[in-house]
Amino acid sequence: MGTTHLFELRDGLRSLYQFDDAYGGASVRSLAVRHLRRVRRVINTSRFPDTIGRQLQLLAGETAEHVAWLSYDADDQDAARRYWGEALATATMLRDAGLETLVLASLSLQANHEGRPRDGLDFARAAQDRAKGLGSPVLQSLIASREARALSLLQDGPAARSRLADSMRLIDRQDRGRPAPDWAVFHGHAELDYAHGLMFTEIGHYPAAVQFMRAALAHQDRTYGRNRALYRLTLARALIDAGEVDEGSAFAVESIEYVEEVESTRVMNRLAEVTGRLRSVDTVSARDAAEKLSEYAHSREAAA
C-alpha cells in the first residue's frame, strides 16, 4: 500500500466532516462506521512501511473519534464512550497530542451533557494541558469554553465568567499562533456567544442569556446547519425563560424550517424541551406553538 491509498482514505474522512457539518444524521454515522472498518481492514491486511502504518493508525483514531461524535449527536452515549475510548487508546499508543486533545475535549463535552460537570472540568483541564504544546489560540479558546461550561453547571458563576473571558482573549489572538486543527475551525465568536448564553441560563440571568443567544445566531456561519437549528431553538427557550413568551413562541415555530434541514437527536431533544416549556405557559401563543411543534415532531417520527 502506498501514499495514494492513504490520501484516498484521509479524503474520505474529510468528506464525512463536510457532510456532518451540513446535515448530520444516521446516514453520515453509518458511512463513518463503514469508513472506520475499511481503515482497520487496510491496517490488518496490507503491507506498508512503518511511516505509512503510523498515519493509518492515526487515521483510524481520528475516524473512531468522529464516529463517537456522531453517536453523541444521536444521543447514543454508550457507543460514543466506546469509540472515544478506542480513539484515546490510539492517541496514547502513538503519543499524538493532537488526537489526545481532541478526545479529551470531546469527553468533556459529553460529561457536561450527561450532568457530570466535575468530570467535564477534569477532562477539559487535561485537554488544555495537551493543547498548550500545540500552539493554537483557537484550540485553547475552545477548551477554555468547555471548562467554563462545566464551571457554570457546578454553579461557580465567577470562575465560569473568568474562563469565558480567557476564551475571548485567546480567540482574539488567533493570528499570533498556529492555525486551529480542522476539527476546531467551527469555534469562533458565535460559539463563544452561545457559551455565554448557556452560562447565563444556568445561573438564571435570562435576559442576558437572550442577548448572547441573539448574538450567537447573528454570528453563526450558514455552513453549520445543525448549529443554526440548535441556536434558534435555544434562543426560543431563553426567550420563554425570560418571560418573552410571544416572541419565544414565534421563534420556536420559525425554527421548524431549520430543523427540517438536519438530522440530529440533540436538535430534536432541544425541540422537545422547548415544547415542554411552552406547554407550561398558559397563553394562546404558547399553546398554538406547542401544538405546531408537537405535530412536526410526530410527523418526523412517523416518517423515520
Side-chain angles (χ1 to χ4, degrees):
M1 181 194 150
T3 55
T4 299
H5 198 177
L6 175 62
F7 290 151
E8 289 175 356
L9 291 171
R10 186 157 290 284
D11 284 344
L13 180 58
R14 289 196 187 98
S15 296
L16 289 169
Y17 285 144
Q18 291 169 355
F19 285 133
D20 178 40
D21 287 340
Y23 307 108
S27 58
V28 180
R29 183 182 176 189
S30 177
L31 287 171
V33 170
R34 290 204 296 272
H35 191 69
L36 177 58
R37 289 173 181 163
R38 182 184 177 196
V39 176
R40 287 171 176 164
R41 185 171 62 253
V42 169
I43 289 172
N44 289 293
T45 63
S46 301
R47 300 181 65 180
F48 38 75
D50 288 346
T51 53
I52 297 292
R54 177 182 172 82
Q55 290 301 309
L56 284 169
Q57 291 285 3
L58 183 58
L59 180 59
E62 291 170 344
T63 307
E65 195 286 327
H66 194 53
V67 175
W69 158 254
L70 291 164
S71 300
Y72 165 80
D73 190 52
D75 205 19
D76 186 352
Q77 301 305 328
D78 288 339
R81 251 185 300 279
R82 185 170 66 254
Y83 283 109
W84 271 322
E86 177 181 334
L88 188 58
T90 300
T92 302
M93 176 185 69
L94 297 175
R95 298 180 182 178
D96 188 274
L99 183 56
E100 278 189 305
T101 302
L102 167 54
V103 177
L104 289 167
S106 298
L107 287 168
S108 174
L109 188 72
Q110 183 189 47
N112 290 334
H113 173 74
E114 292 186 319
R116 297 182 287 111
R118 181 60 62 187
D119 290 341
L121 184 60
D122 290 342
F123 280 129
R125 286 176 173 170
Q128 196 67 268
D129 285 342
R130 273 66 167 185
K132 288 175 183 175
L134 300 175
S136 169
V138 173
L139 180 56
Q140 290 179 271
S141 172
L142 185 157
I143 298 168
S145 73
R146 293 190 181 172
E147 287 183 66
R149 177 68 177 146
L151 288 163
S152 68
L153 289 168
L154 288 166
Q155 297 299 302
D156 191 344
R161 285 193 289 271
S162 176
R163 286 308 279 147
L164 279 176
D166 293 339
S167 186
M168 289 291 291
R169 283 192 290 271
L170 285 161
I171 205 70
D172 289 337
R173 290 169 37 203
Q174 59 185 297
D175 58 342
R176 302 182 191 177
R178 294 178 185 171
D182 289 346
W183 67 268
V185 295
F186 73 93
H187 181 71
H189 288 288
E191 278 290 305
L192 288 173
D193 287 333
Y194 184 69
H196 275 90
L198 292 177
M199 179 192 69
F200 282 116
T201 296
E202 292 298 335
I203 62 179
H205 292 180
Y206 301 121
V210 168
Q211 176 186 349
F212 278 103
M213 288 299 176
R214 289 191 195 278
L217 194 55
H219 291 143
Q220 180 56 51
D221 190 329
R222 291 187 61 84
T223 302
Y224 304 108
R226 178 176 45 218
N227 284 0
R228 285 208 322 273
L230 188 63
Y231 284 16
R232 293 186 75 86
L233 287 169
T234 307
L235 173 55
R237 184 185 70 179
L239 285 164
I240 297 164
D241 288 341
E244 303 292 339
V245 177
D246 289 346
E247 186 180 1
S249 299
F251 216 88
V253 173
E254 290 171 6
S255 299
I256 291 175
E257 69 174 283
Y258 296 88
V259 176
E260 285 180 336
E261 297 177 1
V262 299
E263 292 182 49
S264 169
T265 303
R266 282 192 306 136
V267 169
M268 293 305 295
N269 287 346
R270 183 57 49 84
L271 185 141
E273 187 180 349
V274 172
T275 304
R277 287 282 212 288
L278 290 167
R279 290 197 184 284
S280 70
V281 181
D282 188 20
T283 69
V284 173
S285 64
R287 287 194 297 271
D288 288 348
E291 187 63 28
K292 289 176 182 176
L293 265 59
S294 295
E295 288 176 0
Y296 170 73
H298 290 152
S299 67
R300 181 153 175 164
E301 184 178 348

